[in-house]
mmCIF file of all heavy atoms in Angstrom:
data_model
loop_
_atom_site.group_PDB
_atom_site.id
_atom_site.type_symbol
_atom_site.label_atom_id
_atom_site.label_comp_id
_atom_site.label_asym_id
_atom_site.label_seq_id
_atom_site.Cartn_x
_atom_site.Cartn_y
_atom_site.Cartn_z
ATOM 1 N N ASN A 1470 -9.969 2.813 2.382
ATOM 2 C CA ASN A 1470 -11.409 2.767 2.656
ATOM 3 C C ASN A 1470 -11.771 1.620 3.587
ATOM 4 O O ASN A 1470 -12.619 1.770 4.485
ATOM 5 C CB ASN A 1470 -12.185 2.634 1.344
ATOM 6 C CG ASN A 1470 -12.161 3.904 0.514
ATOM 7 O OD1 ASN A 1470 -11.845 4.982 1.031
ATOM 8 N ND2 ASN A 1470 -12.467 3.792 -0.766
ATOM 9 N N LEU A 1471 -11.155 0.456 3.389
ATOM 10 C CA LEU A 1471 -11.434 -0.689 4.256
ATOM 11 C C LEU A 1471 -11.009 -0.412 5.691
ATOM 12 O O LEU A 1471 -11.742 -0.721 6.643
ATOM 13 C CB LEU A 1471 -10.704 -1.930 3.735
ATOM 14 C CG LEU A 1471 -11.299 -2.606 2.499
ATOM 15 C CD1 LEU A 1471 -10.304 -3.616 1.922
ATOM 16 C CD2 LEU A 1471 -12.617 -3.303 2.839
ATOM 17 N N LEU A 1472 -9.836 0.167 5.859
ATOM 18 C CA LEU A 1472 -9.338 0.449 7.207
ATOM 19 C C LEU A 1472 -10.170 1.534 7.894
ATOM 20 O O LEU A 1472 -10.512 1.416 9.081
ATOM 21 C CB LEU A 1472 -7.870 0.859 7.145
ATOM 22 C CG LEU A 1472 -6.909 -0.286 6.801
ATOM 23 C CD1 LEU A 1472 -5.604 0.259 6.237
ATOM 24 C CD2 LEU A 1472 -6.642 -1.153 8.021
ATOM 25 N N MET A 1473 -10.510 2.573 7.146
ATOM 26 C CA MET A 1473 -11.373 3.614 7.721
ATOM 27 C C MET A 1473 -12.730 3.045 8.113
ATOM 28 O O MET A 1473 -13.267 3.366 9.176
ATOM 29 C CB MET A 1473 -11.553 4.756 6.713
ATOM 30 C CG MET A 1473 -10.357 5.658 6.565
ATOM 31 S SD MET A 1473 -10.676 7.040 5.421
ATOM 32 C CE MET A 1473 -12.034 7.853 6.251
ATOM 33 N N GLY A 1474 -13.286 2.183 7.258
ATOM 34 C CA GLY A 1474 -14.574 1.587 7.553
ATOM 35 C C GLY A 1474 -14.575 0.726 8.795
ATOM 36 O O GLY A 1474 -15.593 0.594 9.478
ATOM 37 N N ALA A 1475 -13.409 0.127 9.102
ATOM 38 C CA ALA A 1475 -13.295 -0.694 10.303
ATOM 39 C C ALA A 1475 -13.041 0.137 11.556
ATOM 40 O O ALA A 1475 -13.096 -0.389 12.669
ATOM 41 C CB ALA A 1475 -12.168 -1.713 10.124
ATOM 42 N N GLY A 1476 -12.764 1.437 11.376
ATOM 43 C CA GLY A 1476 -12.573 2.315 12.527
ATOM 44 C C GLY A 1476 -11.158 2.806 12.729
ATOM 45 O O GLY A 1476 -10.886 3.532 13.687
ATOM 46 N N PHE A 1477 -10.232 2.436 11.861
ATOM 47 C CA PHE A 1477 -8.825 2.782 12.068
ATOM 48 C C PHE A 1477 -8.523 4.223 11.659
ATOM 49 O O PHE A 1477 -9.202 4.808 10.819
ATOM 50 C CB PHE A 1477 -7.923 1.834 11.283
ATOM 51 C CG PHE A 1477 -7.838 0.452 11.875
ATOM 52 C CD1 PHE A 1477 -8.611 -0.582 11.362
ATOM 53 C CD2 PHE A 1477 -6.998 0.191 12.950
ATOM 54 C CE1 PHE A 1477 -8.535 -1.850 11.903
ATOM 55 C CE2 PHE A 1477 -6.929 -1.068 13.502
ATOM 56 C CZ PHE A 1477 -7.694 -2.104 12.979
ATOM 57 N N SER A 1478 -7.463 4.755 12.259
ATOM 58 C CA SER A 1478 -6.978 6.109 11.969
ATOM 59 C C SER A 1478 -5.481 6.054 11.670
ATOM 60 O O SER A 1478 -4.859 4.997 11.769
ATOM 61 C CB SER A 1478 -7.220 7.028 13.163
ATOM 62 O OG SER A 1478 -8.588 7.041 13.533
ATOM 63 N N GLN A 1479 -4.914 7.197 11.302
ATOM 64 C CA GLN A 1479 -3.484 7.314 11.016
ATOM 65 C C GLN A 1479 -3.030 6.204 10.058
ATOM 66 O O GLN A 1479 -2.045 5.502 10.292
ATOM 67 C CB GLN A 1479 -2.668 7.284 12.309
ATOM 68 C CG GLN A 1479 -2.983 8.445 13.233
ATOM 69 C CD GLN A 1479 -2.140 8.435 14.500
ATOM 70 O OE1 GLN A 1479 -1.071 7.835 14.558
ATOM 71 N NE2 GLN A 1479 -2.626 9.110 15.536
ATOM 72 N N ILE A 1480 -3.761 6.089 8.963
ATOM 73 C CA ILE A 1480 -3.513 5.019 7.997
ATOM 74 C C ILE A 1480 -2.356 5.397 7.074
ATOM 75 O O ILE A 1480 -2.294 6.512 6.553
ATOM 76 C CB ILE A 1480 -4.784 4.756 7.162
ATOM 77 C CG1 ILE A 1480 -5.937 4.317 8.079
ATOM 78 C CG2 ILE A 1480 -4.524 3.705 6.085
ATOM 79 C CD1 ILE A 1480 -7.307 4.403 7.428
ATOM 80 N N SER A 1481 -1.436 4.463 6.891
ATOM 81 C CA SER A 1481 -0.300 4.657 5.993
ATOM 82 C C SER A 1481 -0.188 3.446 5.081
ATOM 83 O O SER A 1481 -0.198 2.306 5.550
ATOM 84 C CB SER A 1481 0.997 4.819 6.804
ATOM 85 O OG SER A 1481 2.126 4.854 5.949
ATOM 86 N N VAL A 1482 -0.086 3.687 3.763
ATOM 87 C CA VAL A 1482 0.079 2.613 2.784
ATOM 88 C C VAL A 1482 1.319 2.911 1.948
ATOM 89 O O VAL A 1482 1.464 4.016 1.428
ATOM 90 C CB VAL A 1482 -1.157 2.479 1.872
ATOM 91 C CG1 VAL A 1482 -0.935 1.384 0.823
ATOM 92 C CG2 VAL A 1482 -2.410 2.168 2.691
ATOM 93 N N ARG A 1483 2.213 1.925 1.850
ATOM 94 C CA ARG A 1483 3.470 2.098 1.122
ATOM 95 C C ARG A 1483 3.595 1.025 0.046
ATOM 96 O O ARG A 1483 3.143 -0.106 0.225
ATOM 97 C CB ARG A 1483 4.667 1.970 2.071
ATOM 98 C CG ARG A 1483 4.688 2.970 3.192
ATOM 99 C CD ARG A 1483 5.833 2.714 4.146
ATOM 100 N NE ARG A 1483 7.138 2.776 3.482
ATOM 101 C CZ ARG A 1483 8.289 3.000 4.126
ATOM 102 N NH1 ARG A 1483 8.293 3.170 5.431
ATOM 103 N NH2 ARG A 1483 9.421 3.040 3.458
ATOM 104 N N ALA A 1484 4.239 1.391 -1.054
ATOM 105 C CA ALA A 1484 4.532 0.403 -2.094
ATOM 106 C C ALA A 1484 5.721 -0.448 -1.671
ATOM 107 O O ALA A 1484 6.615 0.007 -0.951
ATOM 108 C CB ALA A 1484 4.845 1.107 -3.407
ATOM 109 N N LEU A 1485 5.737 -1.693 -2.138
ATOM 110 C CA LEU A 1485 6.867 -2.582 -1.872
ATOM 111 C C LEU A 1485 7.907 -2.539 -2.992
ATOM 112 O O LEU A 1485 9.065 -2.871 -2.775
ATOM 113 C CB LEU A 1485 6.377 -4.023 -1.678
ATOM 114 C CG LEU A 1485 5.517 -4.279 -0.445
ATOM 115 C CD1 LEU A 1485 5.088 -5.736 -0.399
ATOM 116 C CD2 LEU A 1485 6.270 -3.913 0.833
ATOM 117 N N GLY A 1486 7.500 -2.192 -4.183
ATOM 118 C CA GLY A 1486 8.432 -2.130 -5.309
ATOM 119 C C GLY A 1486 7.796 -1.377 -6.459
ATOM 120 O O GLY A 1486 6.564 -1.287 -6.550
ATOM 121 N N GLY A 1487 8.627 -0.829 -7.346
ATOM 122 C CA GLY A 1487 8.130 -0.033 -8.454
ATOM 123 C C GLY A 1487 8.235 -0.748 -9.796
ATOM 124 O O GLY A 1487 8.183 -1.972 -9.871
ATOM 125 N N TRP A 1488 8.420 0.033 -10.865
ATOM 126 C CA TRP A 1488 8.408 -0.514 -12.225
ATOM 127 C C TRP A 1488 9.484 -1.581 -12.436
ATOM 128 O O TRP A 1488 9.216 -2.657 -12.972
ATOM 129 C CB TRP A 1488 8.612 0.611 -13.241
ATOM 130 C CG TRP A 1488 7.343 1.271 -13.687
ATOM 131 C CD1 TRP A 1488 6.876 2.502 -13.313
ATOM 132 C CD2 TRP A 1488 6.396 0.751 -14.617
ATOM 133 N NE1 TRP A 1488 5.690 2.777 -13.940
ATOM 134 C CE2 TRP A 1488 5.365 1.708 -14.765
ATOM 135 C CE3 TRP A 1488 6.296 -0.430 -15.333
ATOM 136 C CZ2 TRP A 1488 4.269 1.528 -15.585
ATOM 137 C CZ3 TRP A 1488 5.202 -0.625 -16.173
ATOM 138 C CH2 TRP A 1488 4.203 0.343 -16.291
ATOM 139 N N ASN A 1489 10.724 -1.292 -12.060
ATOM 140 C CA ASN A 1489 11.805 -2.245 -12.320
ATOM 141 C C ASN A 1489 11.635 -3.524 -11.515
ATOM 142 O O ASN A 1489 11.872 -4.626 -12.022
ATOM 143 C CB ASN A 1489 13.161 -1.597 -12.015
ATOM 144 C CG ASN A 1489 13.587 -0.616 -13.086
ATOM 145 O OD1 ASN A 1489 12.908 -0.445 -14.093
ATOM 146 N ND2 ASN A 1489 14.714 0.033 -12.876
ATOM 147 N N ALA A 1490 11.241 -3.383 -10.257
ATOM 148 C CA ALA A 1490 10.999 -4.570 -9.436
ATOM 149 C C ALA A 1490 9.833 -5.380 -9.998
ATOM 150 O O ALA A 1490 9.855 -6.615 -9.949
ATOM 151 C CB ALA A 1490 10.727 -4.167 -7.991
ATOM 152 N N SER A 1491 8.829 -4.691 -10.529
ATOM 153 C CA SER A 1491 7.691 -5.395 -11.126
ATOM 154 C C SER A 1491 8.133 -6.215 -12.334
ATOM 155 O O SER A 1491 7.714 -7.365 -12.511
ATOM 156 C CB SER A 1491 6.604 -4.392 -11.537
ATOM 157 O OG SER A 1491 6.079 -3.716 -10.413
ATOM 158 N N MET A 1492 8.981 -5.624 -13.176
ATOM 159 C CA MET A 1492 9.493 -6.367 -14.324
ATOM 160 C C MET A 1492 10.351 -7.551 -13.876
ATOM 161 O O MET A 1492 10.250 -8.661 -14.422
ATOM 162 C CB MET A 1492 10.299 -5.437 -15.232
ATOM 163 C CG MET A 1492 10.918 -6.144 -16.428
ATOM 164 S SD MET A 1492 9.689 -6.958 -17.486
ATOM 165 C CE MET A 1492 9.010 -5.525 -18.334
ATOM 166 N N ALA A 1493 11.195 -7.323 -12.865
ATOM 167 C CA ALA A 1493 12.024 -8.411 -12.339
ATOM 168 C C ALA A 1493 11.162 -9.542 -11.804
ATOM 169 O O ALA A 1493 11.434 -10.732 -12.043
ATOM 170 C CB ALA A 1493 12.948 -7.875 -11.240
ATOM 171 N N GLN A 1494 10.124 -9.181 -11.075
ATOM 172 C CA GLN A 1494 9.249 -10.207 -10.499
ATOM 173 C C GLN A 1494 8.519 -10.978 -11.588
ATOM 174 O O GLN A 1494 8.388 -12.206 -11.512
ATOM 175 C CB GLN A 1494 8.252 -9.549 -9.542
ATOM 176 C CG GLN A 1494 7.435 -10.544 -8.740
ATOM 177 C CD GLN A 1494 6.844 -9.913 -7.499
ATOM 178 O OE1 GLN A 1494 7.562 -9.600 -6.554
ATOM 179 N NE2 GLN A 1494 5.535 -9.723 -7.507
#
């Protein structure tokens, strides 16, 4: 929503880590 509101297109958002990485962190 923030990127669209600023005018951007072709937006891609990726996770950096999942459940196990979260527990490790």
Side-chain angles (χ1 to χ4, degrees):
N1470 289 343
L1471 285 167
L1472 289 158
M1473 285 183 61
F1477 287 99
S1478 304
Q1479 298 182 22
I1480 299 164
S1481 173
V1482 178
R1483 300 175 59 158
L1485 294 179
W1488 271 105
N1489 285 357
S1491 297
M1492 178 59 76
Q1494 188 160 289

